[in-house]
Amino acid sequence: MSKPIVAIVGRPNVGKSTLFNSLAGGNISIVKDTPGVTRDRIYADIEWLGRNFTLIDTGGIEPDSSDVILSQMREQAQIAIDTADVIIFITDVRQGLVDSDSKVADMLRRSHKPVVLVVNKVDNFDKLMPDVYEFYNLGIGDPVPISASSKLGIGDMLDEVSKYFDDVEAEEEEDERPKIAVVGKPNVGKSSIINKLLGENRVIVSNVAGTTRDAIDTQVTWDGREYIFIDTAGLRRKNKIKEELERYSIIRTVTAVDRADVVVVVIDAVEGVTEQDAKIAGIAHERGKGVVIAVNKWDAIEKDDKTIYKYTNKVRETLSFMPYAEIMFISAQTGQRLSKLFETIDMVLANQAMRVQTGVLNEIITEAVALQQTPSDKGKRLKIYYTTQVSVKPPTFVIFVNDKELAHFSYIRYLENKIRDTFGFKGTSLKFIIRERKEKES
């Protein structure tokens, strides 16, 4: 089930970041148990009344002239149109309706994407409502008055935004075919891999304006089974500064990963594994997806009998937060081991959807506890009452214990390894939820 993507677009100083931060709250910090993954303040996972969505900040604008503002706003709007399911267009009641607002509104209207028009800095609804009505002139629906800094009207705004989620979810539900996202840094060979799989140049990579409409979904049939490949390539505009490209590729990656069942992280063998690779792989890890690490351009590496071993160690070291990921050495150029890619994807898909019977699961846990005592603190020892698997994609387990504080991360990791020893679960992360139960209840 993929989460809807919501993007914020607006001029400088209308309160984009204030709105982003007040929605994201404090939960944007680095995820504790994931070394190597910093959370850029580009996206945040938000929950509203039981609905989860990903919020994207399309980027800051450096105002030095109104022309620059307009062109950069168009760029932002384009990113939002390309990647988001719902767009929040934010304006400022104090500055009133500005020419560039109207121009961007035209663009958003033509995209036929759902847009929620938000008028910010409305600190006093009684007094400022007449000024809010002026924004009806944009012709993109009813303006929703808010004050991002005082958190007024935010609930009404989120209600409007989430009205559109059902359509997004219904569309996704219908398609049962496995979705595979191919992600990685620019120029690691993502499109070449898909082209090779298709046996033809179906994925057009060109930098003519107008072909940046991305996340090109391609259907690939292999051994009678259909797969949808989501390609995040494209956007090779020469004039883009590095930070902007990086931001864009992270937004792209987040949106592709959200929709995927299995993520193929492509690494350039010649360049070796980098921090940026870890950042990209971390997005898939954080979202509990199946992961295959494909080291591409393997044909270009001089090898001896130790090369694969050394290389695997280096990848494992840099991506130490995902020891479960499958590593493959491929070449899109020569087609080397590409057929193995499908076998690996199928295995990961099966593991993502695997369910373990509760009886068997508790036997493994009991045995694990017998082999290695649970942690204790000040004479109180962790007791594990019961474990059960509650969902798949990723396989998620609830462990009922006497005291949450005693369930140390390292011990849960130990139990995870025991479960993996028995069932494999190769290529997928496992999620553990610790629930406390008082002695009496158990």
Side-chain angles (χ1 to χ4, degrees):
M1 179 73 194
S2 76
K3 286 189 290 196
I5 307 269
V6 178
I8 304 178
V9 174
R11 281 183 296 112
N13 309 323
V14 293
K16 281 208 305 289
S17 340
T18 313
L19 179 60
F20 184 83
N21 295 339
S22 68
L23 289 176
N27 59 5
I28 291 205
S29 57
I30 296 165
V31 183
K32 280 196 291 294
D33 53 306
T34 323
V37 182
T38 48
R39 206 19 131 55
D40 290 293
R41 297 202 72 119
I42 294 179
Y43 66 94
D45 299 317
I46 313 277
E47 188 190 345
W48 174 246
L49 301 179
R51 305 296 285 275
N52 291 296
F53 64 94
T54 301
L55 183 70
I56 284 179
D57 182 2
T58 51
I61 292 177
E62 295 306 315
D64 55 3
S65 74
S66 52
D67 305 349
V68 173
I69 289 178
L70 183 58
S71 71
Q72 290 187 331
M73 273 183 77
R74 285 202 166 123
E75 186 91 357
Q76 281 184 4
Q78 196 57 56
I79 294 179
I81 291 166
D82 286 351
T83 53
D85 298 300
V86 185
I87 298 164
I88 293 177
F89 181 32
I90 178 168
T91 57
D92 178 345
V93 76
R94 295 191 200 145
Q95 295 174 19
L97 193 48
V98 178
D99 188 39
S100 53
D101 288 333
S102 309
K103 292 200 164 102
V104 171
D106 288 341
M107 200 171 148
L108 294 174
R109 192 170 45 241
R110 284 196 300 273
S111 76
H112 300 297
K113 285 265 175 119
V115 178
V116 175
L117 171 60
V118 171
V119 183
N120 190 22
K121 305 188 187 174
V122 184
D123 306 322
N124 180 331
F125 280 34
D126 301 335
K127 208 166 79 203
L128 294 169
M129 269 331 264
D131 298 333
V132 171
Y133 295 139
E134 179 192 3
F135 290 88
Y136 272 107
N137 292 325
L138 287 174
I140 48 172
D142 303 337
V144 181
I146 66 160
S147 165
S149 55
S150 327
K151 298 195 176 171
L152 294 173
I154 301 280
D156 293 345
M157 178 193 78
L158 288 173
D159 286 345
E160 282 306 311
V161 170
S162 55
K163 273 183 194 165
Y164 296 106
F165 290 170
D166 290 333
D167 304 345
V168 177
E169 285 159 7
E171 239 171 84
E172 288 284 344
E173 288 295 272
E174 283 159 24
D175 197 343
E176 289 295 304
R177 295 173 294 187
K179 295 189 186 58
I180 317 300
V182 182
V183 304
K185 293 181 313 202
N187 304 323
V188 290
K190 298 185 289 284
S191 296
S192 322
I193 290 173
I194 293 178
N195 288 343
K196 196 72 179 178
L197 295 176
L198 289 170
E200 52 175 321
N201 281 345
R202 268 274 301 285
V203 183
I204 300 160
V205 179
S206 72
N207 37 14
V208 185
T211 56
T212 54
R213 176 78 189 87
D214 47 275
I216 316 162
D217 291 5
T218 313
Q219 180 190 317
V220 179
T221 306
W222 186 269
D223 239 5
R225 185 176 189 186
E226 284 184 5
Y227 304 80
I228 298 291
F229 274 78
I230 304 166
D231 180 14
T232 53
L235 204 90
R236 303 240 192 304
R237 297 193 200 157
K238 297 285 176 281
N239 59 354
K240 281 281 146 271
I241 38 179
K242 190 168 168 291
E243 285 78 51
E244 236 174 89
L245 263 177
E246 219 167 83
R247 176 188 206 93
Y248 196 85
S249 73
I250 286 186
I251 290 178
R252 282 306 242 311
T253 304
V254 172
T255 52
V257 166
D258 260 341
R259 294 177 49 218
D261 300 305
V262 174
V263 177
V264 177
V265 180
V266 184
I267 289 174
D268 183 328
V270 182
E271 196 186 331
V273 61
T274 65
E275 274 303 300
Q276 183 70 358
D277 294 320
K279 210 184 255 188
I280 289 169
I283 294 170
H285 171 72
E286 210 176 72
R287 285 164 155 59
K289 303 296 181 174
V291 180
V292 177
I293 292 159
V295 181
N296 187 26
K297 310 186 188 174
W298 194 239
D299 54 314
I301 296 285
E302 298 233 345
K303 302 173 197 58
D304 58 30
D305 53 351
K306 302 221 169 40
T307 315
I308 276 210
Y309 174 73
K310 281 186 196 145
Y311 218 100
T312 303
N313 282 350
K314 183 75 187 101
V315 172
R316 288 274 177 239
E317 205 176 291
T318 310
L319 308 181
S320 58
F321 52 89
M322 44 180 9
Y324 55 84
E326 281 293 288
I327 300 178
M328 294 184 65
F329 296 89
I330 64 167
S331 162
Q333 194 77 41
T334 64
Q336 180 187 11
R337 291 200 197 83
L338 278 186
S339 55
K340 276 279 298 195
L341 184 61
F342 284 97
E343 287 169 38
T344 310
I345 286 171
D346 283 347
M347 175 197 73
V348 173
L349 282 166
N351 287 339
Q352 271 255 303
M354 177 154 59
R355 285 188 183 273
V356 177
Q357 288 174 309
T358 303
V360 184
L361 189 59
N362 283 285
E363 273 169 38
I364 293 167
I365 299 286
T366 307
E367 198 175 297
V369 171
L371 286 171
Q372 187 176 325
Q373 260 202 332
T374 54
S376 66
D377 182 39
K378 301 190 183 81
K380 187 177 187 186
R381 186 167 290 286
L382 174 70
K383 275 189 193 159
I384 295 177
Y385 299 127
Y386 182 77
T387 306
T388 183
Q389 184 177 350
V390 289
S391 64
V392 294
K393 284 188 177 183
T396 303
F397 303 90
V398 173
I399 304 180
F400 290 100
V401 301
N402 60 336
D403 185 347
K404 241 176 159 167
E405 293 297 305
L406 292 171
H408 295 240
F409 175 67
S410 56
Y411 197 78
I412 302 302
R413 175 60 61 83
Y414 160 72
L415 295 179
E416 172 176 341
N417 290 338
K418 285 293 178 218
I419 292 172
R420 286 187 187 277
D421 289 347
T422 313
F423 298 103
F425 279 119
K426 283 165 86 170
T428 178
S429 59
L430 302 181
K431 194 170 162 198
F432 292 89
I433 298 164
I434 312 298
R435 291 258 163 85
E436 235 174 68
R437 256 158 117 174
K438 295 293 162 267
E439 305 276 343
K440 289 194 278 298
E441 291 177 51
S442 50

